[in-house]
Amino acid sequence: MQKLIIKGRKEISGKISISGSKNATLPILAASILADQAQIKNIPLVKDIFTMIDLLNFIGLKTKLIRKKNIIEISSKGKNINTLAPYKLVKTMRAGILVLGSLLTKYKKAKVSLPGGCAIGTRPVDLHLFALKKMGAKIKIKNGYILAEAKNGLKGAKIRFPSISVGATENALLAAFKAKGKTVLTNCAIEPEIIDLIKFLNKLGAKIHLKGRSILISESKIKTSKISHEVIFDRIELGTYIIASTLLAKKNLIIDKINPKIIKSEIDVLKKIGVKIIQKKKSIIVKKGQRLKNINITTKPYPGIPTDLQAQLMVLLTQVNGVSKIKENIFENRFMHVPELRRMGAQITIKDKTAIIKGPTKLTGAEVMATDLRASVSLVLAGLIAENRTIINRIYHLDRGYEYLERKLRHCKAEIKRI
Ligand code: EPZ
């Protein structure tokens, strides 16, 4: 089992380039089932992406990954497609459920493993199935699989989501692609990753318009030509490195290959805490940590503060003056990083769904264990500011979603190595 060893309190400086978004790439890979040929650029080379590519290969698509250019070429033309997403591939990468919408709308049937829960929650898919049933899909659950079919194809429908779900919105968008007639989705998730998926589907010939939290999908004129798409940057990775530079920057740290407008709410919160951020068109400069002050945060669907940044913000708040609170409103069990941070000296208590953080506290290095993707990166941040050495176990969680993490940090003079 690999580990990360971090020597804390090393000042960092220089430049960090942000990779493509894992959470934009995954639904776009699922959407590539709908294309004859697609070239997808700026994809992050992380475990979840490789698992999704394995799934596309299993289904029968032809994929060519050009690693050194972060490009993948995919073709579904003339392939005999197996409309099955097996448990072995979906259990480790829940977003595998997103092939359900694509397979159903294009091949009128699909057998997809229920993804099951993960460390942060039970992760149900009832909203995904609710939307597909509204479009006429016949759905049965048997032996841990979703058996879906739509003999005469899916039909457009008016669908109001009872609660906001990124994955369910994405599955409904994919299913609506070849549905007969118009589909109107309301109370949708509108994360930037969903906007990127809409851009990709419109390149494929879809006619999708977003208005507030409503999405209108009219009948698509499917293009058969090869399409090309560059995935947006990873706004969660960006938030993670802004926090790292606030905590450790010797002077300024430049972060590039981004569009600062997309993370307005994160930047607003960081500025409220006292982080100095200078925004340029495609980059930002984070000034050395200043007098930081406490704040109360609640995680919300976009454009609110993302739940995927909650653990990282918590580490920052252990270093600010005063008592801060973070309410986790999206997932039922997303505080697993707290016991590990406490072992490093953080003063955090949990009451219901709220973490109460007392700062500033000196963190000391310890041997800790990663539990889920974003919690594991919060331990890296803690290790970078803690005294002495921190050893992080189970870093396969990190490898699911952060491209070249040690390399990017070492490039900024952090002392971090993998053994
Ligand atoms: C996506 O997960 C992201 N994953 C998550 O990032 C992210 O934390 C989450 O959206 C929220 O922003 C990908 O994009 C691959 P949801 P998703 O459906 O789609 C409940 C990471 O670290 N719900 O918006 O699964 C659900 O339990 C990952 O990169 C239902 O009840 O999230 C949760 O409480 C972690 N029924 C809430 O809705 C459903 O059918 C939001 O979940 C679906 C979801």
Side-chain angles (χ1 to χ4, degrees):
M1 201 86 100
Q2 294 190 324
K3 301 177 178 198
L4 273 185
I5 306 222
I6 303 173
K7 184 146 174 26
R9 307 200 67 68
K10 304 297 289 173
E11 293 197 324
I12 61 173
S13 64
K15 188 168 96 166
I16 288 183
S17 290
I18 298 300
S19 303
S21 160
K22 161 180 89 80
N23 291 351
T25 304
L26 289 169
I28 286 173
L29 286 174
S32 65
I33 293 171
L34 301 168
D36 274 1
Q37 289 189 321
Q39 177 192 62
I40 305 165
K41 297 188 264 193
N42 195 32
I43 64 169
L45 301 177
V46 295
K47 185 93 181 55
D48 274 7
I49 300 304
F50 301 140
T51 309
M52 183 60 110
I53 294 169
D54 290 346
L55 178 53
L56 296 183
N57 291 331
F58 181 93
I59 290 171
L61 300 178
K62 191 163 161 300
T63 63
K64 184 171 162 243
L65 177 59
I66 309 159
R67 277 173 172 271
K68 58 185 185 314
K69 290 192 184 146
N70 292 71
I71 291 178
I72 185 164
E73 311 255 344
I74 301 175
S75 163
S76 71
K77 215 155 58 178
K79 304 273 172 260
N80 53 342
I81 296 296
N82 172 8
T83 58
L84 166 67
Y87 176 66
K88 67 175 178 348
L89 289 171
V90 179
K91 73 173 187 308
T92 54
M93 207 278 302
R94 301 185 59 269
I97 180 91
L98 294 174
V99 301
L100 177 58
S102 296
L103 291 173
L104 196 50
T105 201
K106 186 168 180 183
Y107 302 103
K108 303 186 172 40
K109 66 183 172 63
K111 179 177 176 186
V112 174
S113 165
L114 278 166
C118 72
I120 64 177
T122 50
R123 313 296 294 275
V125 290
D126 54 309
L127 296 173
H128 297 239
L129 305 183
F130 157 79
L132 297 178
K133 281 183 200 152
K134 284 266 186 185
M135 289 188 202
K138 294 274 168 288
I139 304 240
K140 265 196 320 233
I141 306 282
K142 206 156 159 261
N143 310 108
Y145 276 83
I146 300 163
L147 308 174
E149 67 174 347
K151 283 202 180 63
N152 312 319
L154 293 173
K155 52 189 192 323
K158 280 189 185 328
I159 303 167
R160 174 169 184 73
F161 286 105
S163 64
I164 294 174
S165 158
V166 170
T169 303
E170 289 167 344
N171 240 330
L173 271 169
L174 293 165
F177 182 71
K178 286 192 79 170
K180 283 186 216 53
K182 250 184 214 154
T183 296
V184 182
L185 306 175
T186 47
N187 199 30
C188 298
I190 51 172
E191 270 63 3
E193 295 74 34
I194 290 180
I195 311 303
D196 212 31
L197 171 64
I198 289 174
K199 280 199 188 110
F200 181 83
L201 290 171
N202 281 340
K203 283 182 184 172
L204 272 182
K207 287 187 181 37
I208 305 174
H209 303 283
L210 172 75
K211 201 164 166 314
R213 279 196 183 278
S214 298
I215 302 177
L216 169 67
I217 306 115
S218 20
E219 200 119 11
S220 319
K221 296 268 165 303
I222 298 166
K223 293 210 183 89
T224 49
S225 56
K226 176 173 175 178
I227 63 147
S228 177
H229 183 81
E230 177 163 336
V231 167
I232 52 163
F233 72 96
D234 193 313
R235 63 193 167 99
I236 303 302
E237 186 193 16
L238 170 59
T240 304
Y241 286 123
I242 294 178
I243 290 168
S245 30
T246 305
L247 293 164
L248 289 154
K250 189 160 66 180
K251 35 193 200 330
N252 306 342
L253 196 118
I254 303 162
I255 306 177
D256 71 357
K257 289 185 71 183
I258 59 159
N259 167 1
K261 284 202 296 293
I262 282 192
I263 61 152
K264 186 180 168 328
S265 55
E266 292 94 317
I267 287 184
D268 290 350
V269 155
L270 289 165
K271 284 184 173 171
K272 258 196 216 130
I273 295 173
V275 182
K276 290 268 171 305
I277 294 174
I278 301 163
Q279 295 181 221
K280 309 264 183 198
K281 200 160 170 316
K282 289 205 163 62
S283 66
I284 57 169
I285 299 171
V286 186
K287 310 286 283 176
K288 169 136 185 64
Q290 303 71 19
R291 252 191 70 72
L292 301 172
K293 55 186 183 306
N294 57 326
I295 187 172
N296 294 343
I297 295 171
T298 301
T299 61
K300 288 196 183 84
Y302 192 82
I305 291 299
T307 172
D308 291 350
L309 216 47
Q310 178 252 107
Q312 301 91 311
L313 282 165
M314 192 179 288
V315 175
L316 176 59
L317 294 174
T318 64
Q319 303 305 305
V320 309
N321 299 302
V323 176
S324 301
K325 287 187 182 141
I326 301 185
K327 188 160 190 274
E328 173 51 59
N329 245 359
I330 306 289
F331 288 109
E332 63 266 34
N333 183 30
R334 204 167 195 179
F335 283 141
M336 269 100 37
H337 42 288
V338 174
E340 298 305 301
L341 293 174
R342 275 204 204 108
R343 295 180 57 247
M344 298 175 74
Q347 290 187 36
I348 307 170
T349 52
I350 297 177
K351 202 160 159 304
D352 305 326
K353 299 163 67 159
T354 302
I356 299 145
I357 306 115
K358 273 203 187 68
T361 44
K362 211 176 241 336
L363 301 184
T364 54
E367 181 147 9
V368 291
M369 190 168 77
T371 50
D372 68 273
L373 169 56
R374 307 303 173 181
S376 41
V377 88
S378 73
L379 299 177
V380 172
L381 291 176
L384 288 168
I385 56 173
E387 273 171 2
N388 314 323
R389 218 171 60 146
T390 296
I391 300 172
I392 304 177
N393 294 293
R394 299 194 183 178
I395 54 171
Y396 56 85
H397 289 291
L398 262 180
D399 298 338
R400 292 188 48 189
Y402 284 89
E403 187 182 51
Y404 305 136
L405 180 120
E406 305 101 89
R407 195 165 93 180
K408 291 185 180 183
L409 285 167
R410 264 205 305 276
H411 188 66
C412 297
K413 304 183 190 59
E415 263 194 55
I416 176 169
K417 68 176 188 296
R418 179 182 291 246
I419 53 165

